Amino acid sequence: MMNTTTVANNSCTVMAVNTTSPKLTFTEPYRTALITIYTIVLLVGTMGLTLMMNLLKSNIRSITTIAFLNLMVAHFLFLLTVPFRIYYYASTTWRLSHGFCKVVSAMIHIHMYMVFTIYTIVLTIRFLHFYKKTQRTEFYRRLHAVCASALIWSVLLPTILPTVLSHYGKMDKKKLNTTENQCFIFGDMLQIHYIYVLNMIVSIVIVVVSCIQTCIQAIILRTMILKYGPASRSQQDFWVQMKNLCFLLIMLTCLVPYHLFRFHYLKHNEELHEINEVFLAITALTCFDMLTFTGKGFCKVYCRT
């Protein structure tokens, strides 16, 4: 009788562990989707970076040109980590260090926020220029432009990476009993209150700012069409605004869906871990923005704005 009770208790304990433990692996449909998305991102992103090399010959003092150069750097650093993601999703085994796993995992978030920040800066400058609120769109000297870029990266990387290496995923290793063969399993950190609140605030900011910028862009395009009518297409400002619209469409299709979904994910991170990775992978499609820069007359348009 005692043995039967012991076996029953052990069975209940095993069942309890199984029901409370999060899913630590990626199932086949999600693995296929992730491998496909990241492979496309790697190929298209590499091609876009190659085509964008001619930007280095353009007006290096232009604020927007400097912004796009920093965007290229962000894409380049992120693309360096993409092969490791593909490798992991294909093999389902992480054979590198846990610290490097955290760096690879963090880079897609750093990339996403850098892209959003640069887009916001460029669009704000363009909007102010359209409404004649600013006339200065260039640095006084080329050295000033280089120093501004160096300042951004010297603040960003030393601030974020050490924090990521020391804290990101620490709680998961202890509580979830993860092993060195698993990677990108950091959802349990969201149970910490201030991290949960920070994620909510960031998602709200990105969604709200993207919507506001879209409304402003729609108003500008409407104003131009009403003013010039069919002759709008012959206006250089019109095509500049169309380029802005491309950035906004990228934000609305790649960044906003992830952060809208995140409101739900933050409350159910264990059940939605796999689908969250797919939404996160979609944010990497922002690398396609480089293809919009390679059109005819790119330097002619961008070096003047």
Side-chain angles (χ1 to χ4, degrees):
M1 183 69 178
M2 181 178 293
N3 292 337
T4 304
T5 304
T6 302
V7 171
N9 290 336
N10 289 338
S11 299
C12 292
T13 302
V14 171
M15 290 180 64
V17 171
N18 290 337
T19 55
T20 58
S21 298
K23 193 181 294 182
L24 298 179
T25 58
F26 294 90
T27 55
E28 188 61 34
Y30 293 103
R31 286 177 54 217
T32 302
L34 290 166
I35 291 171
T36 301
I37 293 172
Y38 283 118
T39 300
I40 294 173
V41 166
L42 182 61
L43 294 176
V44 176
T46 302
M47 181 177 66
L49 278 176
T50 303
L51 294 174
M52 282 290 289
M53 286 299 105
N54 63 348
L55 181 60
L56 298 174
K57 304 174 184 179
S58 63
N59 183 6
I60 199 67
R61 292 189 304 160
S62 169
I63 294 177
T64 51
T65 302
I66 289 298
F68 292 133
L69 286 174
N70 281 278
L71 186 61
M72 289 174 61
V73 173
H75 287 328
F76 173 73
L77 293 176
F78 167 66
L79 289 173
L80 290 178
T81 66
V82 171
F84 298 101
R85 285 185 169 272
I86 297 174
Y87 142 78
Y88 176 68
Y89 294 129
S91 65
T92 68
T93 302
W94 185 261
R95 301 187 186 280
L96 304 174
S97 70
H98 186 67
F100 188 66
C101 165
K102 292 191 285 185
V103 172
V104 172
S105 183
M107 273 309 301
I108 192 169
H109 295 280
I110 295 173
H111 171 257
M112 174 173 55
Y113 299 135
M114 277 297 296
V115 168
F116 173 77
T117 302
I118 292 172
Y119 279 9
T120 301
I121 291 173
V122 171
L123 290 170
T124 301
I125 292 173
R126 296 286 179 76
F127 294 158
L128 292 174
H129 184 71
F130 178 82
Y131 287 110
K132 309 300 181 184
K133 299 297 183 181
T134 180
Q135 298 297 326
R136 187 71 189 177
T137 58
E138 291 187 359
F139 290 97
Y140 289 101
R141 296 178 60 187
R142 183 175 297 187
L143 179 61
H144 296 166
V146 175
C147 290
S149 299
L151 179 62
I152 293 174
W153 288 100
S154 64
V155 171
L156 178 71
L157 294 182
T159 300
I160 296 180
L161 285 182
T163 303
V164 168
L165 290 174
S166 60
H167 297 289
Y168 193 38
K170 179 185 290 186
M171 186 175 178
D172 296 79
K173 284 286 275 189
K174 294 179 179 179
K175 293 187 67 175
L176 301 182
N177 196 28
T178 58
T179 70
E180 294 293 335
N181 293 330
Q182 298 165 339
C183 193
F184 312 138
I185 311 292
F186 302 124
D188 199 55
M189 289 292 292
L190 297 174
Q191 294 180 15
I192 302 176
H193 180 68
Y194 78 89
I195 293 181
Y196 175 87
V197 172
L198 179 62
N199 274 267
M200 287 291 290
I201 292 173
V202 169
S203 294
I204 291 171
V205 168
I206 290 179
V207 172
V208 171
V209 171
S210 298
C211 292
I212 292 174
Q213 290 177 331
T214 302
C215 292
I216 294 173
Q217 186 63 66
I219 293 171
I220 290 175
L221 286 174
R222 181 177 180 274
T223 301
M224 293 192 69
I225 292 172
L226 290 176
K227 181 177 180 179
Y228 298 108
S232 297
R233 294 183 180 180
S234 62
Q235 301 295 318
Q236 179 175 296
D237 263 354
F238 177 80
W239 294 108
V240 172
Q241 299 305 324
M242 292 304 294
K243 289 283 187 177
N244 293 348
L245 185 60
C246 290
F247 302 149
L248 287 167
L249 289 175
I250 292 173
M251 291 172 66
L252 293 175
T253 56
C254 297
L255 302 183
V256 171
Y258 170 72
H259 287 91
L260 287 175
F261 169 77
R262 200 158 180 80
F263 294 134
H264 183 55
Y265 168 74
L266 290 173
K267 299 177 182 179
H268 308 280
N269 60 81
E270 292 183 1
E271 299 89 342
L272 302 175
H273 167 66
E274 291 177 307
I275 188 64
N276 178 69
E277 286 296 314
V278 175
F279 272 98
L280 185 61
I282 292 174
T283 67
L285 296 176
T286 53
C287 289
F288 285 23
D289 59 10
M290 291 178 288
L291 297 182
T292 68
F293 305 152
T294 57
K296 185 178 180 180
F298 164 76
C299 288
K300 182 185 294 186
V301 172
Y302 274 82
C303 294
R304 295 180 181 178
T305 57

